[in-house]
Every structure is written in structure tokens, then in C-alpha cells.
Amino acid sequence: MSLNKIFVFIPLLIFIRTFLVETYASSQVQVVFIKALVYSGILPMLATFIQFSGIGFYLIHNNPSFAEVFHIENYVGQRIVGLTNEASFYVYQLFFSTLGIYYAYRTKMMKRWKLISLAFLFMVTVIISISRTGLLLYILFAGLIAFREFKKNLIRFFLKFSILAPIFIVIIVAISTLNIGGFNLTERFFSTFQVDSDASTLERYGSMEALLNLIYDKCLLMGTGIYNYQYYVKLYLPYYMDQSSYGAGDTPPSFNFVFQLFAEFGVPLAMIFFIGSIIYLRKTQHETLIKDWFVFLLLFSLSFQTLNFAIPFLIILYPLKSLNEDSLRFR
């Protein structure tokens, strides 16, 4: 449960981080953290290739957010999910390993051929997962990297672009024609922006609209309380969703954790939380791992409930540096 992670993970990780920072130099802890982040994506990446090959293996499924009870399933001939329950969950976990690759590449802390090879394999698994969330977030990440290169050195950026652009165009055209699991990749990606493209998008947009309606009606001042949104949200489902499809005690899952926080905290308290987080992050050094971590955590939060995973809390192990002190502790 997500609340257990708050009460268990945060104290435990703060204790471990304090020990590490007091025992080793901050720079050493940072290097080990980023390397571990890179390597952590290898096992789930291999799992996706095994699943895609049709060999498969057994997975435990137990996802309360989707009203799923404990069961063991043999993953043969199904859509790949890595070591998770959903393809979007897999790319969510893999993305932070990809972020580790980016920072390891920038700081030259690992052999570049190894990083490039892993990045390529990671991207292949994102494509064959046909996760719309994953495709969109990886495209945004690629755009961010390109923008930073553009800001850094305009001339060198255009030289690289003129050389690599034809290769990228050929790759993009080739990928756009792929058909995976009965879906054309291009059509699959653009269906993200169509409310009625399939049952998944219908429920995603319906859940987000219901949360917005709940916020407008009840939460402009005071929120419902943590996890209490589920006791109200069914009353605010839009007309295109069938309320009868949810049994007694069942509610649509939250597909937008940001909207969920506004509903549970209330608008004023949620705004204080987000503004305070932005002010705190602005104090960190320019273009640091910590900023990218929370920027993309926020973007993923627009698609599902990110606190179901340990990922948001792991960043506590990464020691921050400032200009005036060796380590800036989390508050």
C-alpha cells in the first residue's frame, strides 16, 4: 500500500542515506547511485525480451489500484510488462534507469559504448511494449536533451543535427510503419489523444474528468482527505462512462495523481505543496539529476498513481550538493 511506503521507506532510506553521507564522500555516493540506477534496468529489460519472444514466465499479479486480487499468471503470448503488472508501469520504472544512463554519459563515469548499447536496448523494449505513456515520455525526454544541446552550443548542435537528422528520419519512418501486437505504432501513439479510441483511454479520460468535477464541486477550499477521493468520484463520472460497470465498493482508479492530490488536499493546500516543491528544487544546481527526477515524476503522475511504486522515494539516497555545503539534506 502506498501509505506504508511513506511510513516505512522514508525513515528507512533517510537512515541509510545519513549513514552513507557520513561514511563516504557525497560525490562517491552519487556515482554509485547513478551506476546502480543504470544497471537496475537490465533485468526487467531482459524480462521484456523473454516475454516478447513468446517464452514467457510466471508473474504475481496483485494491483489493488485496479481492483485486482492476488493471482499468478503465466505470461506467454501476452503484451509485455517486464516485471510489473502493466506496460506503462514497466516504462515508468525503466525511464529512471534511462535517466541514469543520460547522467552517466554526461559525466563519463561509465564506458560510453556500454551506455549507448543499453540505451538502444531500453528504447527497443519501450517500442515493443506499445505503451503510449512510455512513447510520449521518452519523446519528451529526447526533446529536453536536444534543447539542452541547443542552448549549450548552437553551432555544434546544428552540425550534429545536419549529420544525424537523415539517420533519425529514416529510423522514425521505419518505426512508424511497425505493427506490434496488432497495433500500428503511429496509430497507437496518436490514439493517446482520442478519448474514445479504446476502453483504456475512455477510463483514463473519464477518471480525470471525474476528479476535475470533484475538485470544482467540493475541493476548492478543503479536500476530501488522503485516499478519500474514491468515496466521491463515482458520482462525478462523465456521461460516456458506465457507472454500473463498477460494483459496490469499486471505483475507477486514479489515472492522474496530480488531480488526486488536489482533490484530497484541497486546492489551497495542494498549491502550497507544489509551489514549495518548486522553490526547493530551484535551489539545487542547474540541470541536476534531482530536478529531472521530479520533473518526469510529475509528468508520469499525470497518467497514473505513482506512489504505488518505490521509485519516488529512492531519490532520498542521492546526496545533493550546493555551492556552500558538501551535502544538502532533505527536509
Side-chain angles (χ1 to χ4, degrees):
M1 295 296 292
S2 302
L3 282 178
N4 289 343
K5 290 187 175 70
I6 294 174
F7 294 123
V8 176
F9 277 38
I10 290 180
L12 180 63
L13 294 178
I14 289 176
F15 174 79
I16 295 172
R17 181 177 179 276
T18 301
F19 169 78
L20 292 174
V21 172
E22 290 177 351
T23 308
Y24 306 98
S26 295
S27 58
Q28 186 179 355
V29 179
Q30 289 177 351
V31 169
V32 173
F33 179 89
I34 292 175
K35 286 184 177 180
L37 200 59
V38 171
Y39 289 129
S40 69
I42 294 178
L43 189 59
M45 180 256 307
L46 293 175
T48 62
F49 282 121
I50 293 172
Q51 290 169 341
F52 190 70
S53 68
I55 299 174
F57 49 82
Y58 289 97
L59 276 176
I60 294 173
H61 275 221
N62 181 28
N63 187 3
S65 295
F66 289 84
E68 186 177 49
V69 296
F70 176 91
H71 66 281
I72 299 175
E73 187 169 344
N74 187 4
Y75 244 78
V76 178
Q78 300 189 48
R79 183 181 171 193
I80 68 170
V81 295
L83 299 175
T84 69
N85 292 171
E86 298 284 340
S88 58
F89 297 167
Y90 164 69
V91 296
Y92 168 57
Q93 294 179 339
L94 188 72
F95 177 82
F96 292 91
S97 293
T98 309
L99 193 61
I101 289 177
Y102 171 61
Y103 276 92
Y105 186 90
R106 282 183 57 181
T107 54
K108 301 179 181 178
M109 67 175 60
M110 296 173 64
K111 292 180 180 179
R112 291 198 163 185
W113 67 265
K114 185 185 294 185
L115 294 171
I116 292 172
S117 300
L118 282 176
F120 173 76
L121 291 172
F122 285 3
M123 283 301 302
V124 170
T125 63
V126 172
I127 292 169
I128 62 178
S129 74
I130 57 175
S131 167
R132 291 170 289 195
T133 301
L135 291 171
L136 179 60
L137 268 293
Y138 270 80
I139 289 171
L140 289 174
F141 183 53
L144 175 64
I145 294 173
F147 176 70
R148 287 177 177 172
E149 290 296 318
F150 176 82
K151 283 202 316 177
K152 191 184 302 180
N153 191 315
L154 182 61
I155 297 175
R156 187 168 62 181
F157 173 81
F158 278 110
L159 284 174
K160 288 182 179 179
F161 182 78
S162 61
I163 296 171
L164 297 175
I167 300 174
F168 284 139
I169 291 172
V170 171
I171 293 173
I172 291 170
V173 171
I175 290 175
S176 66
T177 61
L178 287 177
N179 287 282
I180 301 172
F183 294 97
N184 174 267
L185 200 62
T186 303
E187 294 176 356
R188 175 73 178 168
F189 174 74
F190 285 108
S191 68
T192 305
F193 311 103
Q194 300 171 7
V195 175
D196 58 350
S197 63
D198 55 39
S200 176
T201 55
L202 198 71
E203 189 173 38
R204 285 177 182 274
Y205 280 100
S207 170
M208 287 190 283
E209 187 173 335
L211 281 169
L212 276 175
N213 292 335
L214 172 60
I215 293 168
Y216 179 75
D217 188 45
K218 287 187 178 297
C219 309
L220 292 179
L221 185 59
M222 300 290 291
T224 62
I226 293 177
Y227 287 121
N228 285 343
Y229 84 94
Q230 57 190 323
Y231 296 107
Y232 300 91
V233 73
K234 272 207 305 189
L235 299 174
Y236 297 93
L237 289 173
Y239 69 92
Y240 51 81
M241 290 189 69
D242 183 11
Q243 294 190 24
S244 63
S245 62
Y246 301 99
D250 292 336
T251 58
S254 168
F255 284 104
N256 192 310
F257 186 48
V258 175
F259 288 175
Q260 180 185 332
L261 288 181
F262 272 88
E264 293 174 348
F265 287 7
V267 172
L269 187 58
M271 289 297 295
I272 292 171
F273 170 73
F274 280 106
I275 292 172
S277 299
I278 291 169
I279 292 172
Y280 186 77
L281 287 174
R282 284 177 63 88
K283 293 179 180 180
T284 65
Q285 292 178 343
H286 183 57
E287 292 181 4
T288 59
L289 171 70
I290 212 90
K291 283 184 178 178
D292 285 345
W293 187 284
F294 282 106
V295 165
F296 283 93
L297 186 64
L298 175 66
L299 293 175
F300 273 107
S301 296
L302 296 174
S303 180
F304 54 83
Q305 220 283 30
T306 52
L307 276 191
N308 281 352
F309 306 87
I311 289 172
F313 309 104
L314 293 180
I315 198 63
I316 293 175
L317 293 174
Y318 185 83
L320 288 173
K321 279 188 176 181
S322 70
L323 296 177
N324 300 320
E325 56 185 347
D326 179 62
S327 178
L328 180 63
R329 299 188 184 279
F330 279 80
R331 298 174 177 84

